């Protein structure tokens, strides 16, 4: 790609000339790079080794991760860059990504598209990021690949009328930072031509490489990628990524980056995992010699160690690599969970579960047994949380410790509970078919079984399965982006109206200015068929999970037209009427609008109740709770929240009590429009409960001290107006999502009347008064249990009589006992027990149920003697055209249709068995 873009002017700049950089072509990779001193090979791996590990740099100080971060931030602050606090790794402000994969993600698309100005220009930020596309390489590259890392970004946003800085300044900043701040010799700093694409943007780039390690990437984002084509952007963006962990590793020159990042925690993990500590100098030497090799599997590690003469260290090295994997994954998981991700089978929850399962898979590869996973995982996470206390953003680990450990405990238990069942299923799959990549992914997604376990299980059957070394990267790539951008299944504007509506200017939203207004006058801007657009309206459109208003539009002649739907397209509100209006009203006409106030007020109550309940759920269950969906109708409100397990009755009760306390507290709501970054700084990204909003200004609805959200809906002005909240239903609707349904205000007495009706009907059925309903139910239960016990006694006695009678009338064919059971009394449970009794004794059972179904059952031992019940089915179908059914060799079910008698069918079955066994009935 880079060779196709060599004509980009950014690759020929004044900085390179000013500092005497000359272009060279690497004889290994063929790519161009710029160096002060002549070179035949670029100093990037795999063209070069990690030369920095063995080289001495007299002027380079040893920097901890925190010191490297602070040095980067302070350098750019001194150079007039405004500092921004980092954002969460859970990218809630984006609808097209789950995770924050780079610092520029914070500013796409709102800033890069020119919708909103950045807080500072230029700015500096050190952003924790998560990328799972290279997850399989973690450990094997000794720290070059990490799933979570800190990206130091300095950004400049150049507008047509305001130039900040571009290529020359960016290269000079990098040059001065690495040479002056870090003390790296100028002749060791190399700039390598590159090209970058991501998040819908692209541009030329330089990689800053020093002695085998890429320390930064400098991107000049100038294109928007549209349908595979590069379209020039109005705003030219300097997008840099300095590897803070790599800088710390480079300055410390420890054997691996994990030693520079985690320090003493490396030894703690070794003790917990009973891994022998390697010789420091030997480890550094091995890492150096492997650094220009592509090692991504245990097989490749073994191969290269053998070639280099280090075979004796294989066991120690592979265990150390697994340890590095656990260090990395534990930190990544802590970041994910502390930012509120709930493991599940979809979305960002899928990615968190992928990391958890890879942790367990690593323990498996270290030789630990399943029953050891829980204690080890919890201890490793505890140590990880403790290590990062008070360090940068990682202090949130300790604040969310209870949730992190509880989720991990729950996930490990869930995994171990399903593992044995999953392995049995794997065994069945292996017996039936060859297993490829799609099967491995399906087994992993459906049953959570890592491909390594599938491979090991297949070997028991003499089957060799190839597991791609980048399996987890393949899986992660399928889930890094949402399939749909919208969180709600809204009724959108009919497609045929889009072009027409787009011509109109924004509608004044009277429903925001005064949500209690129920009538208004508006000027007609446009009419098309049964749709009408006004200059202002009090009609709320269906949006954000809240139903639209209904009501009437009154024409000047007094005619009333019913409003049945209201849509929002951009900033334009469209009213749909019950019949065409084109010939009845013209543009500029003044009309009157009246909404159904009772409906509106109920919607407002349920919407405000939704915000109250969300705040209550967060306080009871934890900060990980997030809105996964919501709906507000006149009948009830619905809130889907992210949570990893079912709610207990006590938790539901506590949420309800807290919510009603907020109602009783009569808190005044606040409504305001805020700049996007100001709102995020004040309230955090938690404001995006209803999904990301790309807008210069956000409408914030705040219940002071309780909840604040970017929300378009209509609300009450005081929580007391909700009147009261009752949660009427709680259920788990999918993995990681719990649904709460509730009612508020005047729906409460209606709900009470519904319950009263249920109580009255139940009382009538039991023949007691309403006040005696509970004692009556208890009495009924006691009597019912007594009758059940009596029934079981009768059933046992009757079972013995039936078995004795059947055994006395059994038939014997070729030494096989065969019996006919006819269920004449309708007790399916009884006869199922009798069937099992005879099957265990290796009888052939012919069972005719009261449902008109015929079942044949026997033991696998009898099948092994030649009595395959499926063969009997085929012969029965040939004899009786009405017979349908099938099953397994030891159990089949048939629907007979019209037959003369069950005795005749039984006789035919005996004849078929005699033929199959080639003998005479005895």
């Amino acid at each position: 790609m880079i060779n196709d873009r060599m004509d980009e002017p950014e690759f020929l700049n004044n900085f390179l000339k000013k500092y005497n950089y000359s272009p060279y072509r690497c004889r290994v990779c063929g790519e161009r790079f710029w160096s002060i001193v002549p070179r035949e090979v670029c100093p990037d791996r795999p063209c070069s080794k990690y030369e920095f590990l063995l080289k001495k740099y007299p002027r380079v100080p040893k920097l901890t991760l925190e010191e490297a971060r602070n040095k980067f931030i302070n350098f750019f602050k001194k150079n007039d860059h405004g500092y921004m606090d980092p954002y969460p790794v859970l990218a809630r402000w984006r609808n097209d990504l789950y995770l924050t994969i780079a610092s520029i993600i914070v500013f796409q698309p709102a800033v890069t598209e020119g919708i909103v100005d950045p807080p500072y220009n230029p700015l500096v930020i050190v952003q924790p990021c998560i990328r799972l596309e290279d997850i399989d390489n973690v450990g094997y590259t000794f720290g070059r690949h990490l799933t979570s890392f800190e990206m130091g970004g300095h950004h400049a946003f150049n507008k047509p009328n305001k130039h900040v800085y571009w290529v020359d300044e960016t290269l000079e900043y990098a040059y001065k930072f690495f040479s002056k701040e870090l003390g790296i010799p100028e002749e060791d700093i190399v700039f390598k031509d590159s090209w970058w694409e991501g998040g819908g943007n692209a541009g030329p780039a330089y990689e800053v490489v020093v002695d085998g390690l890429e320390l930064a990437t400098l991107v000049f984002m100038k294109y928007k990628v549209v349908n595979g084509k590069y379209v020039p952007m109005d705003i030219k963006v300097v997008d840099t990524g300095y590897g803070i962990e790599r800088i710390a590793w480079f300055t410390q020159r420890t054997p691996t980056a994990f030693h520079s990042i985690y320090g003493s925690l490396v030894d703690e993990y070794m003790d917990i995992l009973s891994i022998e500590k390697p010789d420091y100098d030997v480890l550094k030497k091995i890492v150096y010699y492997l650094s220009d090799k592509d090692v991504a599997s245990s097989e490749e590690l073994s191969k290269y160690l053998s070639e280099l003469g280090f075979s004796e260290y294989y066991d120690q090295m592979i265990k150390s690599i697994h340890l590095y994997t656990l260090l990395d994954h534990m930190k990544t998981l802590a970041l994910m969970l502390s930012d509120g991700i709930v493991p599940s089978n979809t979305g960002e929850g899928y990615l968190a579960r992928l990391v958890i399962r890879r942790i367990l898979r690593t323990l498996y590869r270290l030789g630990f047994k399943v029953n050891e996973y829980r204690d080890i995982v919890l201890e490793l996470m505890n140590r990880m949380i403790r290590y990062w206390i008070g360090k940068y953003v990682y202090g949130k680990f300790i604040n969310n410790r209870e949730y992190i450990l509880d989720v991990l405990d729950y996930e490990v238990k869930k995994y171990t509970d399903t593992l044995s069942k999953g392995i049995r299923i794997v065994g069945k799959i292996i017996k039936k078919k060859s297993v490829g990549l799609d099967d491995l992914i399906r087994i992993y997604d459906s049953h959570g079984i890592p491909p390594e376990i599938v491979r090991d299980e297949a070997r028991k059957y003499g089957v060799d399965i190839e597991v791609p070394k980048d399996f987890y990267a393949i899986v992660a790539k399928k889930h890094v982006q949402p399939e749909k951008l919208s969180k709600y299944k809204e009724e959108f504007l009919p497609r045929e109206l889009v072009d027409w509506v787009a011509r109109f200017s924004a509608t004044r939203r009277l429903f925001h200015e005064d949500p209690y207004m129920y009538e208004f006058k508006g000027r007609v801007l446009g009419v098309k068929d049964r749709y009408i657009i006004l200059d202002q309206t009090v009609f709320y459109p269906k949006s954000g999970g809240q139903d639209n208003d209904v009501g009437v539009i009154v024409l000047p002649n007094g005619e009333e037209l019913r409003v049945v739907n209201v849509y929002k397209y951009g900033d334009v509100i469209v009213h749909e009427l019950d019949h065409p209006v084109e010939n009845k009203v013209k543009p500029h006409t003044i009309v009157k609008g009246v909404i159904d106030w009772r409906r509106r007020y109920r919607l407002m109550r349920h919407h405000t109740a939704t915000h109250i309940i969300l705040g209550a759920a967060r306080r009871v269950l934890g900060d990980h709770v997030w809105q996964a969906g919501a709906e507000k109708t006149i009948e009830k409100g619905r809130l889907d929240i992210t949570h990893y397990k079912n709610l207990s009755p006590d938790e539901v009760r506590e949420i309800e009590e807290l919510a009603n306390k907020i109602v009783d507290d009569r808190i005044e709501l606040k409504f305001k429009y805020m700049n996007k970054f100001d709102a995020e700084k004040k309230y955090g990204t938690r404001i995006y409960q209803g999904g990301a909003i790309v807008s210069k200004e956000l409408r914030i609805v705040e219940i002071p001290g309780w909840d604040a959200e970017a929300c378009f809906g209509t609300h009450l002005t005081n929580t007391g107006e909700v009147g009261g909240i009752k949660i009427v239903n709680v259920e788990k609707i999918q993995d990681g999502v719990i649904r709460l349904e509730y009612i508020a205000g005047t729906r409460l007495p209606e709900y009470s009347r519904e319950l009263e009706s249920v109580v009255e009907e139940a009382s009538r059925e039991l023949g007691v008064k309403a006040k005696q309903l509970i004692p009556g139910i208890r009495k009924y239960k006691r009597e019912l249990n007594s009758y059940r016990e009596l029934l079981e006694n009768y059933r046992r006695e009757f079972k013995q009589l039936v078995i004795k009678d059947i055994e006395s009338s059994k038939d014997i064919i070729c030494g096989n006992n065969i019996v006919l059971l006819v269920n004449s009394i309708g007790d399916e449970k009884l006869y199922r027990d009798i069937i099992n009794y005879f099957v265990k004794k290796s009888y052939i059972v012919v069972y005719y149920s009261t449902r008109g179904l015929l079942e044949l059952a026997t033991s696998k031992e009898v099948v092994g003697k030649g009595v395959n019940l499926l063969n009997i089915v085929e012969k029965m179908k040939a004899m009786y055209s009405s017979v349908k059914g099938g099953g397994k060799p030891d159990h089949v079910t048939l629907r007979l249709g019209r037959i003369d008698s069950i005795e005749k069918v039984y006789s035919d079955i005996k004849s078929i068995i005699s033929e199959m066994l080639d003998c005479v009935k005895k």
Side-chain angles (χ1 to χ4, degrees):
M1 177 66 204
I2 180 61
N3 292 325
D4 297 334
R5 311 295 306 190
M6 295 300 291
D7 58 343
E8 296 289 341
E10 286 75 16
F11 290 131
L12 300 170
N13 54 75
N14 294 326
F15 166 83
L16 296 171
K17 298 175 185 175
K18 177 181 176 181
Y19 287 90
N20 300 315
Y21 274 87
S22 299
Y24 299 91
R25 183 75 62 180
C26 178
R27 64 176 171 80
V28 178
C29 66
E31 294 184 5
R32 189 174 71 180
F33 63 92
W34 301 79
S35 174
I36 293 176
V37 297
R39 297 171 184 267
E40 291 187 2
V41 177
C42 71
D44 194 9
R45 58 130 347 259
C47 305
S48 299
K49 287 182 168 61
Y50 289 161
E51 299 296 342
F52 75 94
L53 284 179
L54 306 182
K55 193 171 179 178
K56 294 187 181 300
Y57 303 92
R59 293 174 50 239
V60 176
K62 292 186 177 181
L63 301 175
T64 64
L65 181 63
E66 186 168 5
E67 289 169 340
R69 182 192 312 119
N70 290 337
K71 188 169 278 290
F72 173 81
I73 292 171
N74 291 332
F75 172 79
F76 284 98
K77 285 172 72 174
K78 284 188 298 184
N79 284 279
D80 301 321
H81 287 63
Y83 172 70
M84 273 191 71
D85 289 326
Y87 272 49
V89 296
L90 181 55
R92 293 292 192 186
W93 62 95
R94 298 284 295 262
N95 272 329
D96 57 340
L97 285 174
Y98 293 126
L99 302 174
T100 306
I101 58 174
S103 59
I104 194 63
I105 295 301
V106 175
F107 309 102
Q108 289 175 314
V111 178
T112 57
E113 295 284 325
I115 298 169
V116 61
D117 289 330
Y120 312 99
N121 195 9
L123 60 83
V124 60
I125 182 173
V126 175
Q127 176 61 48
C129 302
I130 292 179
R131 291 183 190 172
L132 302 180
E133 289 88 341
D134 295 317
I135 191 170
D136 296 284
N137 293 319
V138 172
Y140 286 103
T141 58
F142 305 104
R144 194 175 76 254
H145 291 100
L146 303 169
T147 58
S148 58
F149 56 92
E150 294 180 22
M151 179 177 287
H154 68 90
H155 302 284
F157 304 91
N158 299 283
K159 294 186 175 182
N161 59 350
K162 183 183 178 182
H163 179 81
V164 183
Y165 63 77
W166 195 232
V167 180
D168 289 336
E169 299 91 334
T170 303
L171 290 173
E172 189 152 4
Y173 280 137
Y175 179 82
K176 288 182 176 178
F177 176 75
F178 288 116
S179 64
K180 308 302 181 188
E181 291 291 318
L182 295 188
I184 298 174
E186 290 88 340
E187 62 270 18
D188 290 337
I189 302 171
V190 170
F191 295 94
K192 187 177 177 182
D193 294 350
S194 186
W195 182 264
W196 178 91
E197 290 189 20
N201 298 115
Y206 287 99
E207 296 170 358
V208 184
V209 187
V210 180
D211 291 331
L213 192 63
E214 180 189 334
L215 296 177
T217 302
L218 316 175
V219 178
F220 304 99
M221 189 188 295
K222 55 188 286 190
Y223 296 112
K224 185 176 182 180
V225 183
V226 181
N227 298 324
K229 296 182 178 180
Y230 298 110
V231 179
M233 295 167 56
D234 293 331
I235 298 177
K236 304 294 191 292
V237 181
V238 173
D239 170 26
T240 67
Y242 286 61
I244 304 300
E245 286 89 353
R246 290 189 180 192
I247 291 171
W249 184 20
F250 179 90
T251 64
Q252 294 183 43
R253 296 188 292 287
T254 52
T256 75
F258 300 99
H259 290 82
S260 62
I261 298 168
Y262 297 100
S264 61
L265 195 59
V266 176
D267 287 345
E268 290 185 39
Y269 268 42
M270 283 188 170
D271 290 339
I272 295 169
L273 299 169
S274 300
I275 294 175
E276 181 185 353
K277 295 179 176 64
D279 180 278
Y280 202 79
D281 293 330
V282 172
L283 176 60
K284 180 179 278 193
K285 190 179 294 185
I286 291 175
V287 172
Y288 171 77
Y289 283 120
L290 288 175
S291 60
D292 63 345
K293 307 290 190 294
D294 287 322
V295 182
S297 68
S298 57
E299 292 80 10
E300 290 169 344
L301 177 67
S302 176
K303 169 191 168 187
Y304 288 122
L305 286 177
S306 178
E307 291 178 1
L308 296 169
F310 289 109
S311 295
E312 62 188 288
Y313 294 102
Y314 170 78
D315 187 61
Q316 190 178 69
M317 287 299 296
I318 193 64
K319 287 182 178 179
S320 294
I321 286 170
H322 292 328
L323 177 140
Y324 304 147
T325 300
L326 290 171
L327 282 165
D328 171 89
H329 288 12
M330 282 292 179
K331 183 186 176 190
T332 297
L333 183 62
L335 273 169
M336 289 175 142
L337 297 181
S338 61
D339 275 351
I341 295 182
V342 175
S344 68
N345 288 331
T346 59
E348 65 270 12
Y350 180 96
L351 300 176
R353 183 166 285 167
L354 181 146
V355 175
I356 293 172
R357 287 177 177 174
R358 204 166 187 278
I359 288 169
L360 301 178
R361 162 262 197 194
T362 304
L363 292 179
Y364 171 79
R365 298 191 73 174
L366 280 168
F368 290 100
K369 296 178 180 178
V370 173
N371 60 5
E372 297 176 294
Y373 288 178
R374 177 184 177 275
D375 290 343
I376 294 173
V377 165
L378 294 181
E379 181 61 23
L380 292 176
M381 182 57 81
N382 256 319
R383 299 291 183 98
M384 181 64 65
I385 292 170
R386 188 174 66 191
Y387 179 79
W388 290 104
I389 292 176
K391 297 177 181 177
Y392 200 42
V393 297
Y394 310 115
K396 60 188 172 185
F397 294 175
I398 192 67
N399 298 333
N400 293 280
R401 178 179 177 276
E402 184 179 349
Y403 168 67
I404 292 171
L405 295 178
D406 200 21
V407 166
L408 202 45
D409 186 17
Y410 181 81
E411 285 291 311
V412 173
K413 184 177 185 301
K414 183 175 182 178
Y415 174 80
T416 54
D417 286 348
T418 59
L419 188 61
S420 58
K421 179 182 177 183
I423 289 176
R424 286 197 299 271
I425 293 171
V426 167
K428 293 178 181 178
I429 294 173
I430 291 169
K431 289 177 183 178
K432 290 181 180 179
K433 58 180 288 190
S434 60
V435 177
L437 176 59
D438 290 342
D439 300 298
L440 290 174
I441 293 175
R442 189 160 47 250
I443 291 168
Y444 171 80
D445 282 346
S446 301
H447 308 290
I449 309 297
E452 294 85 358
I453 293 181
V454 177
R455 180 186 59 201
D456 294 348
E457 191 68 19
R459 286 171 179 165
K460 297 177 183 177
Y461 297 89
V463 177
D464 190 27
I465 294 177
E466 182 179 351
V467 178
K469 60 184 180 182
D470 60 344
F471 174 83
Y472 290 92
I474 293 170
V475 172
K477 285 175 185 176
K478 292 176 176 288
H479 296 270
V480 293
Q481 290 180 309
E483 293 183 6
K484 296 181 180 179
L485 298 184
S486 175
K487 266 198 168 185
Y488 297 103
K489 297 178 180 177
E490 295 181 338
E491 294 180 11
F492 292 106
L493 181 74
R495 191 176 297 275
E496 63 272 15
L497 297 178
V498 168
D499 291 339
W500 173 67
V501 174
R503 302 202 307 259
F504 296 95
S505 57
T507 307
R508 183 180 174 186
R509 303 166 190 164
L510 299 176
F511 51 80
H512 279 167
E513 295 178 20
D514 182 2
Y516 295 87
M517 183 185 296
Y518 59 88
E519 65 177 61
F520 71 103
K521 289 185 178 180
R523 181 167 56 88
V524 177
L525 298 182
V527 178
K528 185 179 179 70
D529 193 26
R530 63 182 185 277
Y531 301 94
I532 187 170
I533 297 174
L534 308 175
D535 65 334
Q536 59 182 11
T537 186
V538 82
F539 281 92
Y540 179 82
K542 185 177 179 76
S543 178
Q546 178 179 324
D547 273 353
N548 59 272
D549 287 325
V550 299
V552 295
I553 296 287
V554 185
L555 303 183
N557 62 5
E559 182 180 358
E560 293 186 353
L561 303 174
R562 197 158 56 88
V563 177
V564 294
N565 279 310
V566 187
Y567 303 98
K568 176 180 178 289
Y569 183 77
D571 290 325
V572 181
I573 309 298
V574 184
H575 310 76
E576 181 182 357
L577 308 176
D578 57 348
H579 57 268
V581 72
E582 270 184 304
N583 297 325
K584 296 186 177 184
V585 66
K586 302 295 182 185
H588 308 298
T589 303
I590 302 298
V591 297
K592 179 181 177 182
V594 182
I595 65 168
D596 180 337
W597 169 247
R598 188 166 183 266
R599 173 188 171 89
R600 156 72 74 80
Y601 198 53
R602 282 197 171 189
L603 289 170
M604 289 165 62
R605 277 178 152 169
H606 281 145
H607 201 149
T608 301
T610 299
H611 288 219
I612 293 173
I613 289 178
L614 181 59
R618 192 179 301 123
R619 284 160 177 81
V620 173
L621 305 175
D623 280 341
H624 63 277
V625 168
W626 201 277
Q627 178 178 308
E631 185 180 38
K632 305 93 184 177
T633 68
I634 59 172
E635 289 83 16
K636 64 184 176 182
R638 169 179 64 77
L639 176 65
D640 299 337
I641 59 172
T642 54
H643 191 55
Y644 54 101
K645 57 185 177 183
N646 289 322
L647 303 192
S648 69
D650 287 343
E651 288 171 332
V652 175
R653 191 178 302 110
E654 190 175 352
I655 291 170
E656 186 176 279
E657 288 175 355
L658 264 181
N660 280 297
K661 181 182 181 301
I662 296 302
V663 174
D664 290 340
D665 287 348
R666 296 189 57 79
I667 301 171
E668 291 287 333
L669 275 72
K670 293 182 178 180
F671 307 89
K672 52 193 167 187
Y673 287 89
M674 298 182 69
N675 170 275
K676 165 186 161 64
F677 287 107
D678 290 342
E680 291 171 353
K681 186 172 183 178
K682 182 173 182 177
Y683 301 109
T685 57
R686 194 172 292 283
I687 56 177
Y688 298 117
Q689 294 295 328
I693 302 171
V694 181
S695 176
K696 184 175 183 178
E697 283 193 325
L698 303 177
R699 179 177 183 258
I700 301 297
V701 176
E702 181 183 9
I703 304 174
W706 192 253
D707 181 76
E709 301 178 31
C711 182
F712 190 78
T714 57
H715 284 270
L716 306 166
T717 57
N718 188 293
T719 60
E721 287 188 67
V722 174
I725 296 172
K726 175 62 185 172
I727 298 174
V728 296
N729 183 51
V730 179
E731 60 180 320
K732 183 177 181 180
I733 61 169
Q734 68 182 60
D735 199 22
V737 180
I738 305 296
R739 172 164 292 174
L740 302 172
E741 293 180 326
Y742 42 90
I743 55 175
T746 52
R747 274 290 290 133
L748 292 170
E750 293 176 359
Y751 180 70
S752 295
R753 285 195 293 273
E754 292 167 7
L755 292 181
E756 288 170 358
S757 297
V758 172
V759 170
E760 289 172 1
E761 185 176 351
S763 300
R764 283 196 302 271
E765 290 294 326
L766 286 175
V768 298
K769 293 182 179 180
K771 290 183 178 181
Q772 295 299 313
L773 182 58
I774 298 301
I777 291 174
R778 289 172 179 156
K779 179 183 177 184
Y780 177 79
K781 283 181 66 177
R782 286 195 299 270
E783 292 176 352
L784 182 61
N785 290 334
S786 175
Y787 288 135
R788 281 175 176 164
E789 186 178 343
L790 185 61
L791 177 61
E792 285 301 317
N793 292 334
Y794 282 135
R795 186 177 273 146
R796 279 192 294 270
E797 293 293 328
F798 188 67
K799 175 182 173 181
Q800 295 305 317
L801 292 174
V802 172
I803 288 173
K804 186 177 180 180
D805 181 58
I806 293 296
E807 285 184 324
S808 65
S809 59
K810 66 185 178 186
D811 291 286
I812 302 174
I813 302 175
C814 296
N816 293 288
N817 296 319
I818 180 170
V819 295
L820 172 65
L821 287 177
V822 179
N823 187 346
S824 57
I825 62 173
D827 191 336
E828 193 68 26
K829 183 179 182 300
L830 168 66
Y831 276 85
R832 193 63 55 192
D833 288 345
I834 296 173
I835 292 171
N836 292 336
Y837 171 84
F838 283 114
V839 168
K840 285 178 181 178
K841 295 188 71 174
S842 291
Y843 276 56
I844 301 170
V845 181
V846 180
Y847 170 61
Y848 187 65
S849 73
T850 53
R851 296 176 295 164
L853 297 177
L854 184 73
E855 290 183 44
L856 277 68
T858 191
S859 66
K860 287 183 171 57
E861 179 187 347
V862 174
V863 174
K865 293 179 180 179
V867 184
N868 187 326
L869 301 185
L870 290 174
N871 293 337
I872 297 177
V873 171
E874 294 306 312
K875 292 184 179 295
M876 289 284 291
K877 288 180 179 178
M879 296 172 66
Y880 296 89
S881 60
S882 60
V883 168
K884 295 180 181 179
K888 299 183 295 183
D890 61 347
H891 186 276
V892 296
T893 302
L894 302 175
R895 187 171 293 280
L896 297 178
R898 304 178 73 179
I899 57 172
D900 294 334
S901 69
I902 188 60
E903 288 76 16
K904 173 69 167 59
V905 173
Y906 178 56
S907 177
D908 290 337
I909 291 173
K910 290 189 291 183
S911 299
I912 292 170
I913 293 173
S914 295
E915 284 182 32
M916 287 169 59
L917 298 177
D918 193 23
C919 64
V920 179
K921 182 177 65 174
K922 297 180 181 178

